[in-house]
Amino acid sequence: MIEPSEVAKHNSADSCWVVLYGKVYDVTNFLENHPGGSAAILALAGKDATEEYDTIHPSGLLEEYLDPKACLGVLSASAPEAAEPTRISSQSASKEASEETPLSSLLNLAEIEQAAKRKLSPKGWAYYSSATDDSITKIHNNLIYRSILPRPRVFIDCRECDLSTRFLGLKLGLPIYISPAAMARLAHPQGEAGIAAACRKFGAMQLISHNASMTTQQIVANAHPDQIFGWQLYCLKDVKRSEKRIAEINSIKEIKFICLTLDAPFPGKREIEERQKMEELRAAGAVLSPQVWGTDASLTWERTLNWLRMHTSLPIVLKGIQTYEDAILAAKHAPQVRGIVLSNHGGRALDTVSTPVHVLLEIRRFCPEVFDRLDVIVDGGIQRGTDVVKALALGAKAVGIGRAALYGLAAGGQSGVERTLQILADETATAMRLLGVQHVDQLSLQHVNTRLVDSQISDSESSMLNAESVEGAFPARAKF
């Protein structure tokens, strides 16, 4: 039995104890291996972390990550009872319910975001909305679409509109997928399973986050037989743990591919989130210390892909391609690599970098053969159906939404995510009809004017890619 006063003494990076489900754990040695960074644990050092932990972590994670010796004992029964939650009178609850905005009245993703902001905790809002430094990339991810002009064609029968498409040969009901985004239960208790249920209704693809707040089995438990899931892999410093996770994913038939994340080898400086964590640390009386991370920043093309080939036969999709040079290198690793995600991590890694639209245009200009070798999808900045059709016209197979799905979840659980997807699906269909397009695969360069953006694209070949390396990627191409 351990007294609460003793637990409270261990609130620093040198000696970090937390209480979880009535047991006391020494997590000092785990701080540098925590995928979410050490600050998240230090904010709760010396305290009962059960409520915070349970909201964002899947069951069974304690047993997977902590050595049994980390459990020091049981919190003494002399610990004061947890404060009763604030009770809302039935009259107040009724008034609050009546004032809540119906999901059906939310007409666009911006309104869903505002509804989510009213419901999210300060911690949840800080985590979901934050971006690196001045958030320039996050903002520009969306603004760039406004510089691309649609080119509608007329005298075309557009009574029918088919939004289905294919990725890695798999049929998707929508050209809109859910990007991997962690800790969905910060938004709503239904978490990632609520997002999966919404995707089931639309036949939409979902990429499950490596740091999901539910187990993969829980997320896919009620999936439709034809529902498509991918799983996001962050390579950890603890290689054996990564290999164990991959082995588990290999056994889940609903997972059709692994999405290896490359656009965040080291976390960016997300000031909104950092400020929130600092406030939590100060409020908890914890000692501020340098942040450490559990992800591996030493990945390389040959070594990492060879290692991955040894541990899975699932198709590999590389997430975080941000230049045409890396798109070419990815194509050289086909067919092990089957697809790429043009992404800058939602503006949460390096600020002021190019947007996925810029990279699409670079590939179009310098190495269009990539589209024949790999399935290319994009994420970041999608707010409207017109954004969707512009990306598809430039060569993307599908576009991903991350924050938008989480905001929908916060606004109304599964129904909120369904409303998010419905809005985007309707807007996309409308845009296609007005462009004179019946099927997603009919969208092409003829439907967009990119002149305002073309000037922002590199106008020369990269010195790192000489003629020989290009010929190696595309043997049939005589000239770059």
Side-chain angles (χ1 to χ4, degrees), residues 29 33 48 76 86 103-104 125 137 178 190 208 214 243 275 323 335 355 404-405 432 454 462:
N29 293 332
N33 292 316
D48 190 330
S76 171
T86 303
L103 290 172
S104 59
W125 176 253
T137 292
I178 306 300
Q190 292 176 338
I208 298 173
M214 305 176 75
E243 293 172 354
R275 188 169 291 108
T323 63
T355 70
M432 286 173 59
D454 288 339
S462 170

Side-chain angles (χ1 to χ4, degrees), residues 301 321-333 359 362-363 365-370 458 460-474 477 479-480:
W301 284 97
I321 301 299
Q322 299 176 72
T323 63
Y324 78 89
E325 294 96 330
D326 281 341
I328 289 176
L329 293 174
K332 290 179 68 174
H333 288 85
V359 186
E362 281 190 8
I363 295 173
R365 176 178 292 182
F366 295 115
C367 49
E369 295 91 341
V370 164
S458 173
S460 63
E461 297 177 13
S462 170
S463 59
M464 68 162 282
L465 289 172
N466 56 35
E468 182 180 352
S469 67
V470 175
E471 290 301 320
F474 308 115
R477 184 179 174 118
K479 186 177 180 182
F480 194 71

Side-chain angles (χ1 to χ4, degrees), residues 268-348:
K269 183 188 175 194
R270 305 169 194 167
E271 294 183 4
I272 297 175
E273 188 181 354
E274 283 193 20
R275 188 169 291 108
Q276 175 66 24
K277 288 180 179 178
M278 289 172 66
E279 290 174 359
E280 289 180 353
L281 285 167
R282 291 194 183 100
V287 178
L288 293 173
S289 61
Q291 179 76 297
V292 294
W293 302 90
T295 50
D296 186 357
S298 67
L299 309 186
T300 63
W301 284 97
E302 299 299 333
R303 177 167 53 81
T304 302
L305 289 177
N306 286 339
W307 166 79
L308 200 49
R309 186 182 294 111
M310 292 170 57
H311 294 282
T312 187
S313 59
L314 287 171
I316 303 301
V317 174
L318 302 182
K319 177 183 177 294
I321 301 299
Q322 299 176 72
T323 63
Y324 78 89
E325 294 96 330
D326 281 341
I328 289 176
L329 293 174
K332 290 179 68 174
H333 288 85
Q336 181 195 13
V337 174
R338 294 280 303 281
I340 56 176
V341 186
L342 308 185
S343 173
N344 52 43
H345 215 70
R348 293 163 71 85

Side-chain angles (χ1 to χ4, degrees), residues 142-157:
N142 174 254
L143 289 180
I144 192 67
Y145 284 103
R146 302 182 188 182
S147 298
I148 298 174
L149 308 179
R151 301 185 68 246
R153 303 301 303 273
V154 299
F155 274 137
I156 297 175
D157 183 349

Side-chain angles (χ1 to χ4, degrees), residues 200-218:
R200 182 177 62 224
K201 179 177 179 179
F202 292 86
M205 180 172 70
Q206 179 181 1
L207 303 192
I208 298 173
S209 171
H210 184 282
N211 297 320
S213 57
M214 305 176 75
T215 66
T216 305
Q217 290 87 346
Q218 289 172 328

Side-chain angles (χ1 to χ4, degrees), residues 23 130 172 230 276 297 339 362 430 444:
K23 297 180 180 179
S130 63
L172 311 181
Q276 175 66 24
E362 281 190 8
T430 297
S444 67

Side-chain angles (χ1 to χ4, degrees), residues 209-475:
S209 171
H210 184 282
N211 297 320
S213 57
M214 305 176 75
T215 66
T216 305
Q217 290 87 346
Q218 289 172 328
I219 296 168
V220 305
N222 297 311
H224 186 276
D226 296 330
Q227 197 166 345
I228 306 301
F229 294 89
W231 180 74
Q232 178 198 35
L233 169 63
Y234 276 111
C235 291
L236 305 177
K237 293 176 183 176
D238 188 336
V239 178
K240 294 298 182 184
R241 183 162 286 127
S242 288
E243 293 172 354
K244 181 181 178 182
R245 291 292 301 276
I246 294 169
E248 292 170 355
I249 293 302
N250 288 337
S251 68
I252 302 174
K253 61 180 176 54
E254 290 83 1
I255 303 298
K256 305 302 182 184
F257 61 93
I258 288 179
C259 183
L260 175 58
T261 292
L262 303 170
D263 49 12
F266 192 81
K269 183 188 175 194
R270 305 169 194 167
E271 294 183 4
I272 297 175
E273 188 181 354
E274 283 193 20
R275 188 169 291 108
Q276 175 66 24
K277 288 180 179 178
M278 289 172 66
E279 290 174 359
E280 289 180 353
L281 285 167
R282 291 194 183 100
V287 178
L288 293 173
S289 61
Q291 179 76 297
V292 294
W293 302 90
T295 50
D296 186 357
S298 67
L299 309 186
T300 63
W301 284 97
E302 299 299 333
R303 177 167 53 81
T304 302
L305 289 177
N306 286 339
W307 166 79
L308 200 49
R309 186 182 294 111
M310 292 170 57
H311 294 282
T312 187
S313 59
L314 287 171
I316 303 301
V317 174
L318 302 182
K319 177 183 177 294
I321 301 299
Q322 299 176 72
T323 63
Y324 78 89
E325 294 96 330
D326 281 341
I328 289 176
L329 293 174
K332 290 179 68 174
H333 288 85
Q336 181 195 13
V337 174
R338 294 280 303 281
I340 56 176
V341 186
L342 308 185
S343 173
N344 52 43
H345 215 70
R348 293 163 71 85
L350 180 63
D351 202 14
T352 72
V353 297
S354 296
T355 70
V357 167
H358 287 108
V359 186
L360 269 176
L361 289 172
E362 281 190 8
I363 295 173
R364 277 287 174 203
R365 176 178 292 182
F366 295 115
C367 49
E369 295 91 341
V370 164
F371 293 110
D372 299 324
R373 290 287 193 91
L374 304 170
D375 279 358
V376 179
I377 57 179
V378 304
D379 75 11
I382 297 296
Q383 288 287 322
R384 290 285 189 180
T386 48
D387 302 337
V388 176
V389 298
K390 290 170 185 177
L392 298 176
L394 292 175
K397 292 282 189 179
V399 303
I401 57 172
R403 291 184 178 94
L406 294 172
Y407 292 151
L409 190 67
Q414 174 187 334
S415 297
V417 183
E418 289 178 359
R419 182 59 182 158
T420 299
L421 289 171
Q422 188 67 64
I423 288 171
L424 275 180
D426 290 346
E427 290 184 352
T428 300
T430 297
M432 286 173 59
R433 285 188 167 101
L434 293 175
L435 283 170
V437 172
Q438 292 180 323
H439 305 283
V440 168
D441 59 8
Q442 293 173 339
L443 287 163
S444 67
L445 291 176
Q446 69 166 308
H447 294 109
V448 288
N449 176 352
T450 62
R451 188 66 178 269
L452 292 175
V453 186
D454 288 339
S455 62
Q456 301 172 17
I457 306 303
S458 173
D459 60 1
S460 63
E461 297 177 13
S462 170
S463 59
M464 68 162 282
L465 289 172
N466 56 35
E468 182 180 352
S469 67
V470 175
E471 290 301 320
F474 308 115

